[in-house]
Amino acid sequence: MSQRYKKPVIDESRLVNNPFALGLVIPVVKRTEKTKYTKLEEGMFNVDYYMERESPVRVYVSSVRRKLMNGLSANGHKLLHWCMQVIDVNKDWFWLNKGRYMEETGISYNTYKKCVEELQDSGLLSKTSINDVFWFNPEFFFRGSRKD
């Protein structure tokens, strides 16, 4: 690897505080694991844990994926990120509400069509047999667990 691309050693103690984390409140919900127990003096109890209320979208990284995504146009990136916001948990398909997308982003129908085509050509989206419903490639991103 060339020296130009070598990651420098970062002294994390010099970073101080992330300004985006100040005042950040992450809504959580309490869950009980019914198959795991903890032993206390009073007896055996189910294990409680807390998790974020909103489920994240995982973006899987590699140099090949990064190069493919960096090759997208600005509008292609915009559509991809919008799609990541609307996919349902543990589904590998989604309905692309083109009216809402065009309204929220201010792009024209022709630009929308070009963006969809670009994401399909790049292997990130694929048509289904239902209008405006697309498969997305879980090799690149997923909301939930790909194991299920």
Side-chain angles (χ1 to χ4, degrees):
M1 177 184 288
S2 85
Q3 193 65 19
R4 185 170 63 163
Y5 296 121
K6 187 174 179 185
K7 183 177 179 179
V9 176
I10 307 292
D11 179 3
E12 291 185 50
S13 67
R14 294 181 50 210
L15 292 177
V16 192
N17 293 318
N18 181 342
F20 299 106
L22 297 174
L24 176 66
V25 176
I26 300 172
V28 296
V29 292
K30 183 178 180 181
R31 299 280 190 230
T32 300
E33 179 62 59
K34 305 231 187 264
T35 60
K36 294 183 182 175
Y37 300 91
T38 185
K39 185 176 182 178
L40 299 174
E41 287 182 18
E42 302 85 26
M44 298 287 284
F45 297 92
N46 290 106
V47 174
D48 290 332
Y49 63 96
Y50 294 87
M51 61 185 288
E52 290 185 38
R53 188 179 320 158
E54 297 175 347
S55 65
V57 172
R58 290 180 176 91
V59 177
Y60 299 97
V61 295
S62 71
S63 61
V64 172
R65 292 179 184 110
R66 183 178 63 244
K67 287 176 185 175
L68 183 139
M69 290 192 181
N70 284 335
L72 296 174
S73 68
N75 283 329
H77 270 283
K78 189 183 289 189
L79 177 58
L80 178 63
H81 285 265
W82 194 89
C83 292
M84 288 179 182
Q85 296 290 318
V86 299
I87 60 177
D88 290 324
V89 176
N90 292 331
K91 302 279 189 218
D92 58 357
W93 60 269
F94 69 102
W95 172 57
L96 205 167
N97 184 337
K98 63 184 167 220
R100 182 174 160 202
Y101 173 73
M102 290 186 298
E103 180 182 315
E104 289 180 2
T105 60
I107 67 165
S108 69
Y109 180 70
N110 286 335
T111 302
Y112 160 80
K113 287 191 329 187
K114 287 177 187 173
C115 292
V116 168
E117 187 175 304
E118 179 182 9
L119 295 184
Q120 288 178 264
D121 290 346
S122 67
L124 294 166
L125 296 184
S126 180
K127 289 181 182 179
T128 68
S129 57
I130 302 171
N131 283 341
D132 300 324
V133 176
F134 294 87
W135 297 107
F136 61 85
N137 189 338
E139 182 181 340
F140 291 90
F141 61 96
F142 198 78
R143 185 173 187 183
S145 173
R146 296 188 296 181
K147 294 185 299 184
D148 298 333

